[in-house]
C-alpha cells in the first residue's frame, strides 16, 4: 500500500492550526501535527481572551469585525463592555485613540468621570477620562477551540499530538516530515501555524525567518474585598500599562507586558506580578486579600505587528499562518476562512468580502529586505 501524501500538513493545533484545519478539510486531505500532549497547551490554553474591536490596532479591525458576527451567532461571546481609562494628563492619548479608530467601523464613546464611576467601582478620582466600547465581549476560548477541532476531525482531518517536527525535507514536490518521536509523514504543502516557534519551523524548511518574536504576558488572579461585580467591564489603561476584568468574583489582572523571550513553556516572574499589583493599587482602592493564581503565555508578533497569511515567496510548498499576536483568538473565524481562501485560491465569501488580504501577505517582508539590500548595494558603489 502506498504511503499517504497529504495535501496539507499543519504545524500546530492551537487556535490557529485548528481553525485553519477546519476550513481546509472540506476541500483537501489535512494532517495536523501538535508538539504537545494536547492541542492548545500554550497561547490558546492560557488566554484571557476577549473580543474587543480596537485590540490589535486599525490593521486588525477588519478581521475582528468580520469574526464578531460568527462568534456571536455561534454562541461564543458573552457581552461585557470595555473601558479605556486615563487621568487628566492622559487627555492627549485619549484624543489620539479616538482619532486612530475614527472611520474604522468600531463603535466607541467618550466618557468623563461620572460615566466611568458608574461602570467601575473603587476607581480612584484622578482617573477621569475614558473611552467606552460597549460591544466588547468575553470569548469562550475552550468552546471555540473544541468547535474547530471537532469540525476538522468530522471532515476527515487527522490530528496527531506528541508530534514535534524535527526535520523537513522537500523532494519532487513533496515534503517528508520527521518528528522527534521518530515518525515520518508526507505532504505536498506544510503550513506554519507554530505560533512562537514559527521562525524555527521556517528554518527547518529552508525558508527565511520573518522575525516573528515571542513576547511573554503575565496574568494574576486576585481575591479582592469587596468582591468584583460580575458586570464589571474590561478595564484597560489608555497607555497600555494594565488591564483587568472580573471572573466569578475574582479579578484577572495583567501588566499588559510584552517581554521578549525565546519560544518556551512560559512562566510568570515575581517582578512582573509585583509590578502589576503596584499599578492596580494606584488605579483602584480595592483591598487585595490574596494572589490566588498566576500564569504567563506567549504572544507572537511579526515586525509590523500584523498577522502573516500566505505562501512563502521563495520556498515552494511552504505557507505562513502565524504572527497573530494577542488577537489570534478574536480574529480566528475570519482569519481561518481568509487563510483557506488564499491557500486554495478560492474567492471571498460573506465572511471575508470586506477584508483586503494584501497587508497580511508574507511577501511584504521579503520585499522590504530586497529593497534594503539594493539600497545598501547602491550606497557601496
Amino acid at each position: 500500500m502506498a504511503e499517504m501524501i497529504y495535501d496539507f500538513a499543519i504545524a500546530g493545533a492551537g487556535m490557529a492550526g485548528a481553525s485553519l484545519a477546519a476550513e481546509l478539510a472540506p476541500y483537501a486531505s489535512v494532517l495536523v501535527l501538535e508538539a504537545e500532549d494536547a492541542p492548545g497547551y500554550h497561547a490558546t490554553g492560557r488566554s484571557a481572551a476577549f473580543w474587543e474591536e480596537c485590540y490589535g490596532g486599525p490593521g486588525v479591525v477588519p478581521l475582528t469585525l468580520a469574526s464578531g458576527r460568527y462568534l456571536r451567532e455561534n454562541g461564543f461571546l458573552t457581552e461585557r463592555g470595555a473601558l479605556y481609562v486615563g487621568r487628566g494628563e492622559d487627555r492627549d492619548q485619549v484624543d489620539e485613540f479616538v482619532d486612530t479608530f475614527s472611520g474604522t467601523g468600531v463603535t466607541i464613546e467618550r466618557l468623563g468621570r461620572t460615566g466611568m464611576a458608574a461602570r467601575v467601582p473603587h476607581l480612584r478620582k484622578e482617573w477621569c477620562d475614558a473611552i467606552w466600547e460597549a460591544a466588547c465581549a468575553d470569548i469562550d476560548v475552550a468552546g471555540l477551540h473544541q468547535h474547530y477541532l471537532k469540525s476538522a476531525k468530522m471532515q476527515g482531518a487527522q490530528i496527531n499530538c506528541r508530534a514535534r517536527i524535527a526535520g523537513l525535507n522537500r523532494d519532487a514536490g513533496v515534503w517528508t516530515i520527521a518528528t522527534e518521536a521518530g515518525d515520518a509523514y508526507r505532504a505536498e504543502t506544510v503550513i506554519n501555524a507554530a505560533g512562537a516557534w514559527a521562525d524555527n519551523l521556517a528554518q527547518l524548511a529552508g525558508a527565511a525567518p520573518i522575525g516573528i518574536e515571542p513576547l511573554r504576558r503575565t496574568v494574576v488572579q486576585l481575591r479582592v474585598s469587596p468582591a468584583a461585580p460580575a458586570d464589571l467591564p474590561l478595564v484597560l489603561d489608555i497607555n497600555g500599562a494594565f488591564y483587568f476584568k472580573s471572573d466569578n468574583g475574582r479579578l484577572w489582572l495583567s501588566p499588559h507586558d510584552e517581554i521578549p523571550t525565546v519560544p518556551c513553556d512560559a512562566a510568570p516572574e515575581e517582578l512582573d506580578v509585583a509590578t502589576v499589583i503596584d499599578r492596580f493599587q494606584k488605579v483602584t482602592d480595592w483591598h487585595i486579600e490574596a494572589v490566588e493564581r498566576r500564569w504567563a503565555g506567549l504572544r507572537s508578533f511579526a515586525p509590523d505587528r500584523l498577522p502573516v497569511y500566505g505562501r512563502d515567496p521563495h520556498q515552494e510548498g511552504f505557507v505562513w499562518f502565524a504572527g497573530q499576536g494577542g488577537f489570534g483568538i478574536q480574529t480566528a473565524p475570519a482569519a481561518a476562512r481568509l487563510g483557506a481562501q488564499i491557500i486554495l485560491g478560492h474567492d471571498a465569501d460573506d465572511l471575508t468580502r470586506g477584508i483586503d488580504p494584501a497587508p497580511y501577505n508574507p511577501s511584504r517582508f521579503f520585499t522590504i529586505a530586497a529593497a534594503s539590500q539594493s539600497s545598501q548595494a547602491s550606497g557601496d558603489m
Side-chain angles (χ1 to χ4, degrees), residues 16 19-24 26-27 63 66-67 69-70 74 147-148 151 309 321 324 331-353 355 357:
S19 59
L20 186 60
E23 293 290 348
L24 289 172
Y27 308 101
L63 294 164
S67 296
R69 185 178 66 182
Y70 183 99
N74 287 282
H147 162 78
Y148 279 126
S151 176
Y309 309 142
F321 195 68
Q324 300 188 61
T331 60
R337 185 74 55 82
L338 179 66
Q341 289 166 351
I342 291 169
I343 293 165
L344 297 168
H346 291 180
D347 293 335
D349 61 6
D350 288 344
L351 183 60
T352 61
R353 194 160 288 121
I355 304 172

Side-chain angles (χ1 to χ4, degrees), residues 54 57-58 84 89-104 106 108 110 129-131 238-239:
C54 302
Y84 283 85
E89 61 264 35
D90 299 322
R91 186 167 298 277
D92 288 346
Q93 287 90 325
V94 178
D95 291 340
E96 182 181 356
F97 188 100
V98 173
D99 291 342
T100 296
F101 289 97
S102 176
T104 63
V106 305
I108 55 178
R110 191 78 172 259
D129 203 358
I131 299 293
I238 197 70
N239 293 302

Side-chain angles (χ1 to χ4, degrees), residues 130-155:
I131 299 293
W132 172 244
E133 186 196 317
C136 178
D138 291 338
I139 303 175
D140 177 3
V141 180
L144 181 63
H145 190 215
Q146 288 302 314
H147 162 78
Y148 279 126
L149 289 170
K150 181 179 179 180
S151 176
K153 291 177 182 177
M154 289 181 63
Q155 295 174 101

Side-chain angles (χ1 to χ4, degrees), residues 6-29:
Y6 292 89
D7 295 316
F8 301 105
I10 300 175
M15 190 68 77
S19 59
L20 186 60
E23 293 290 348
L24 289 172
Y27 308 101
S29 56

